Amino acid sequence: MTPYAALPALALLLAVGGGALWAQQGGRTAPAATPPAAPQRVVSLNLCADQLLLALADRDRIAGLTRNATDPGMSAAAAAARGLPLIRNAAEQILVAAPDLIVGMPASGSAAVAALPRGSFRTLDLPTADSFDVIRRTIRLTATALGHPARGEALIARMERDLAGVPRPGRGRVAAYYQRRGYMTGTGTLIDEMMGRVGLVNLAAKLGKPPLSQLSLEEMVAANPDFLIVESASDTITDQGSEMLHHPALRGIPRLSVPEAWTVCGGPAYGAAVHRLAGQIQRHDGARR
């Protein structure tokens, strides 16, 4: 695309972008403009933002999702994303999409957005969710920006009802979220909160590990957790990274598997991941009786 070809899209961005401003005049605070209207064309720059838009936005208002949005291995909303425009995080494609709202984590930190004329579009910066409290906040922020706050509250209410029914079969037993190449997820993470909701204790907390650390096979065997939590994709060996999770030394540790697409983002799939963990623990315990 030549610089001149992008001008019509840029002009549209300049026409619709920007929010309400408040001006100080004569010691008085007065509204300079009405709040921005509900966006008509919304673009996502982040896999997690994709899933929030799919849950909260009108389908015909979604002007672009990331290329991972339709990948079932990465996105819990892959089926819903099919048929919608997919874009790279590139300034040219954003211009062509002509959005009046760009959503990301954060959107303003994107190199593509930084390459566009400053102030020519509205952006919504969402925090990365490391707890259900933050999930609630991202849902409210997104729903409000889309002009559908009631949808956000309805989604939160459904998730709260769903989580209220989760059993706690872990009973204080220890689990390690163990990933390819020996990475282990620690405290202060969404995975850690999921463990707590089903009554499990995170091995990383017992060992004083940071949010992300590496634990060798020998160290894991010595720690001897009651469960290993693994990503479903690693149930089969696909490469050296997943091969270590199938080492004979680990065979004696029961496994709980959860799709990565349900845990990579803090969003609507959070409840499904928690229920899956609880259900697998219950089936494990039932099989031992």
Side-chain angles (χ1 to χ4, degrees):
M1 179 183 292
T2 67
Y4 299 103
L7 287 177
L10 177 57
L12 177 60
L13 283 173
L14 291 169
V16 300
L21 301 176
W22 292 81
Q24 295 285 343
Q25 295 180 346
R28 296 174 300 174
T29 302
T34 56
Q40 304 300 299
R41 295 181 60 77
V42 187
V43 161
S44 165
L45 301 182
N46 176 270
L47 174 65
C48 301
D50 290 342
Q51 296 176 55
L52 290 169
L53 292 190
L54 289 165
L56 298 168
D58 292 330
R59 187 174 179 85
D60 61 358
R61 304 288 172 85
I62 300 176
L65 300 172
T66 72
R67 291 189 177 272
N68 288 324
T70 56
D71 181 351
M74 294 293 294
S75 172
R82 293 193 191 107
L84 289 170
L86 304 180
I87 66 172
R88 297 191 312 274
N89 191 350
E92 293 85 357
Q93 288 197 325
I94 295 173
L95 281 170
V96 171
D100 49 6
L101 180 66
I102 302 173
V103 185
M105 296 184 172
S108 60
S110 161
V113 170
L116 297 171
R118 175 180 269 183
S120 59
F121 45 81
R122 289 170 55 201
T123 57
L124 175 62
D125 292 337
L126 297 175
T128 301
D130 56 10
S131 69
F132 185 54
D133 283 343
V134 181
I135 292 175
R136 275 190 287 244
R137 180 151 57 96
T138 60
I139 290 173
R140 287 192 172 109
L141 287 169
T142 306
T144 299
L146 295 172
H148 299 300
R151 290 184 191 176
E153 294 306 317
L155 175 57
I156 290 169
R158 288 196 301 272
M159 293 182 71
E160 288 176 339
R161 287 194 300 271
D162 188 37
L163 290 170
V166 174
R168 294 174 60 85
R171 303 194 311 275
R173 283 174 285 182
V174 177
Y177 192 90
Y178 207 36
Q179 302 166 69
R180 296 163 45 87
R181 303 191 182 281
Y183 283 99
M184 183 173 65
T185 302
T187 58
T189 63
L190 198 62
I191 292 295
D192 183 66
E193 187 180 88
M194 288 180 184
M195 290 188 195
R197 282 186 181 274
V198 299
L200 294 173
V201 174
N202 193 340
L203 174 63
K206 291 179 66 70
L207 298 180
K209 297 292 185 179
L212 185 64
S213 61
Q214 278 187 293
L215 207 67
S216 68
L217 283 171
E218 294 78 8
E219 290 173 308
M220 185 61 74
V221 170
N224 193 30
D226 297 292
F227 297 102
L228 285 182
I229 304 174
V230 298
E231 296 165 353
S232 298
S234 66
D235 288 346
T236 57
I237 299 174
T238 56
D239 53 26
Q240 287 185 334
S242 58
E243 184 178 18
M244 71 167 293
L245 296 174
H246 294 266
H247 194 280
L250 299 176
R251 286 179 185 164
I253 305 176
R255 295 187 176 218
L256 313 173
S257 70
V258 182
E260 182 183 10
W262 293 4
T263 60
V264 70
C265 292
Y270 176 80
V274 175
H275 273 283
R276 178 165 173 135
L277 280 180
Q280 288 181 82
I281 297 169
Q282 289 175 318
R283 287 192 292 275
H284 169 268
D285 290 349
R288 295 183 64 188
R289 293 193 183 105

